[in-house]
Amino acid sequence: MKEWYLMNKSHDIVSGFESEDFDSTAQDTFAESLMTSIADDIEVFTSDLSQSTKTRAIVEGNVQDTKLNSMQRRILTQIGTCKAGMYVKYKDRFWLIVGLVDDNKIYEKSILVLCNYLLTWKNSSGEIVQRWVNAASASQYNNGETNSTYYTSRTDQLMVLTPKDEECL
């Protein structure tokens, strides 16, 4: 006996136009998969944390094998949900969306890094601003300096990933 699963569809006739049918129902089929146990509840925030939307996503990379991988995830969401620089709250932690958010006409994929520090500063208007950021060692890349007469030796340098908003820029 073979087991199979048919996604909910409005068409149930084999007509020779299955490719076009798939194209027209692909996003609805993905939305249906978000209602299953493979998806998780997440909250997507604007870069200044002022607005949020609760939604569902398929979170990839939960089982990792290195420390570096433990600070990254990938999420699959409905097209139009995420933009680079936004935050995702997942399992009571803030994650920052980095890189290009792109889609394959079925779902969009975003890369997340774990926010491990609440950066606080005073802006030019004297207001206190706070943003969750990802701070990591950057000494593996270079010292960030160009040719100069004087060089500063450091034991470590930090690379800080911030959201893309007016305050951070």
Side-chain angles (χ1 to χ4, degrees), residues 116-132:
N116 56 4
Y117 187 76
L118 184 60
L119 186 64
T120 304
W121 70 93
K122 189 187 292 189
N123 69 12
S124 58
S125 302
E127 300 171 58
I128 301 296
V129 179
Q130 292 185 313
R131 295 291 188 271
W132 283 103

Side-chain angles (χ1 to χ4, degrees), residues 66-79:
T66 67
K67 180 182 175 186
L68 187 59
N69 286 343
S70 70
M71 298 181 71
Q72 291 185 351
R73 297 287 185 276
R74 292 162 308 284
I75 59 170
L76 310 179
T77 56
Q78 290 185 291
I79 296 172

Side-chain angles (χ1 to χ4, degrees), residues 40-45 49 54 59 62 73 87-96 112-117 132:
D40 290 295
D41 292 320
I42 65 168
E43 199 167 355
V44 180
F45 288 81
L49 297 171
K54 291 183 179 186
V59 181
N62 288 330
R73 297 287 185 276
Y87 290 105
V88 171
K89 191 169 188 182
Y90 168 66
K91 290 190 177 179
D92 296 323
R93 302 291 304 263
F94 279 105
W95 298 76
L96 181 64
L112 313 176
V113 294
L114 179 64
C115 293
N116 56 4
Y117 187 76
W132 283 103

